Amino acid sequence: IFTLAIRQYVNITFLFYNTVKTEKQLDLIKKKTYSDKTFINAPASSSSTHQLWSPITFNFSIESGDYSKFTKRQLDSTIFSTTIIQYYNRGSPNTRQNITLDNIDIAARAWINNTIYSSTFNNKKSAFFSRSNHFVMFLSDAHRNRSSPHWFVGKTVFFFTHIHNQIESHLLLVEVAKNHTQCKFNRFIPVVELFGEGEIPFFAVIDIGQITAQVGLVKNPQNDTHSVVSPYLVFDKDLSSAGRLSFL
């Protein structure tokens, strides 16, 4: 009876769906194949052994590409170009560099230190809309009055490759949290506040090497903040070095 039921379901599927829709349904259960089009190795100049993983959009145009497939947030070529320029100038605050905005390769996932990192691009691509492994904690030492690097938390929009001065880098675009602080009862617990749906988000470009951990957010019932947690990192240091958006 069970076998007949399965056969009937398959027959109905082929009867009411066209070939394209049927293939999409079968792709969900097919074994994934891998090739040089499904991953990008770390640049030769990098000390890391990370990889960028599929889905990958090759040869994406920064100036005329469709950004709506990566995030529901307000994002366009002007915003993205600005974040790239800010990233390189952040490392050389006294020098304005000429940044080439050629076509880039964009990846939805990354494999870093044996951990898979996702993105909003991957969530939209796979129609997975619940919270997943796309929040990261990262460090930035761009502020001129720093005594130590500042920590930030952001939502990964996508990973991408970029070549500047003939050096390839693997970067990621993140939607950074609105405010960063520490729990007033325990300075070891990081706390963030996200931008609301009606607010303009803040984007930044960072290097994969700036990521310190994959994190999750736990909503605080008394206010609009979230406590930051991580399955791979123990927060056992004073986190008073919380960053501000102006530092980026």
Side-chain angles (χ1 to χ4, degrees):
I1 296 176
F2 181 71
T3 302
L4 291 175
I6 293 177
R7 289 179 178 175
Q8 184 177 6
Y9 171 79
V10 172
N11 290 335
I12 292 175
T13 300
F14 277 89
L15 179 64
F16 288 98
Y17 286 89
N18 59 38
T19 304
V20 176
K21 289 184 177 180
T22 302
E23 285 298 322
K24 288 184 177 180
Q25 294 295 320
L26 295 177
D27 283 342
L28 298 175
I29 60 175
K30 285 182 179 178
K31 183 178 180 180
K32 302 299 182 182
T33 58
Y34 298 93
S35 69
D36 57 357
K37 299 297 183 181
T38 61
F39 69 92
I40 303 174
N41 282 320
S45 59
S46 173
S47 59
S48 171
T49 57
H50 69 265
Q51 292 179 331
L52 303 185
W53 282 8
S54 64
I56 299 176
T57 299
F58 290 97
N59 203 32
F60 178 83
S61 172
I62 293 178
E63 295 184 351
S64 60
D66 179 15
Y67 291 87
S68 64
K69 63 182 178 181
F70 303 123
T71 177
K72 295 181 179 179
R73 288 295 214 171
Q74 178 183 344
L75 178 64
D76 56 30
S77 60
T78 301
I79 295 175
F80 184 40
S81 300
T82 300
T83 59
I84 295 177
I85 294 171
Q86 288 175 338
Y87 164 75
Y88 286 105
N89 288 332
R90 200 183 304 146
S92 304
N94 297 323
T95 304
R96 293 301 174 189
Q97 304 186 55
N98 293 321
I99 311 300
T100 302
L101 299 176
D102 292 330
N103 291 2
I104 58 175
D105 297 333
I106 293 179
R109 299 179 298 158
W111 180 72
I112 308 169
N113 295 329
N114 297 319
T115 302
I116 300 175
Y117 288 73
S118 186
S119 65
T120 59
F121 171 32
N122 186 60
N123 292 353
K124 291 198 68 175
K125 189 77 172 179
S126 59
F128 185 75
F129 299 108
S130 63
R131 293 178 181 173
S132 61
N133 52 345
H134 57 273
F135 282 96
V136 296
M137 175 177 279
F138 63 95
L139 297 178
S140 178
D141 57 358
H143 191 51
R144 62 181 180 275
N145 295 325
R146 65 189 181 274
S147 58
S148 62
H150 300 282
W151 64 267
F152 295 86
V153 169
K155 180 193 303 181
T156 303
V157 180
F158 54 70
F159 303 87
F160 66 99
T161 64
H162 189 262
I163 298 176
H164 176 57
N165 289 339
Q166 300 182 340
I167 299 176
E168 180 182 354
S169 299
H170 284 183
L171 311 173
L172 58 153
L173 178 68
V174 292
E175 180 186 331
V176 188
K178 181 179 180 180
N179 292 308
H180 301 74
T181 185
Q182 57 195 132
C183 177
K184 59 183 178 180
F185 303 111
N186 187 336
R187 64 179 183 274
F188 295 163
I189 300 177
V191 175
V192 299
E193 179 185 359
L194 304 179
F195 283 95
E197 289 296 330
E199 297 180 298
I200 299 177
F202 183 92
F203 293 101
V205 167
I206 65 171
D207 187 271
I208 277 184
Q210 293 178 247
I211 297 176
T212 59
Q214 181 182 101
V215 298
L217 304 182
V218 179
K219 179 71 170 63
N220 295 324
Q222 298 178 342
N223 51 47
D224 293 330
T225 64
H226 294 75
S227 297
V228 181
V229 296
S230 175
Y232 310 111
L233 177 66
V234 177
F235 297 114
D236 56 359
K237 297 180 180 179
D238 187 344
L239 292 170
S240 58
S241 60
R244 300 179 183 177
L245 297 184
S246 59
F247 295 174
L248 297 173

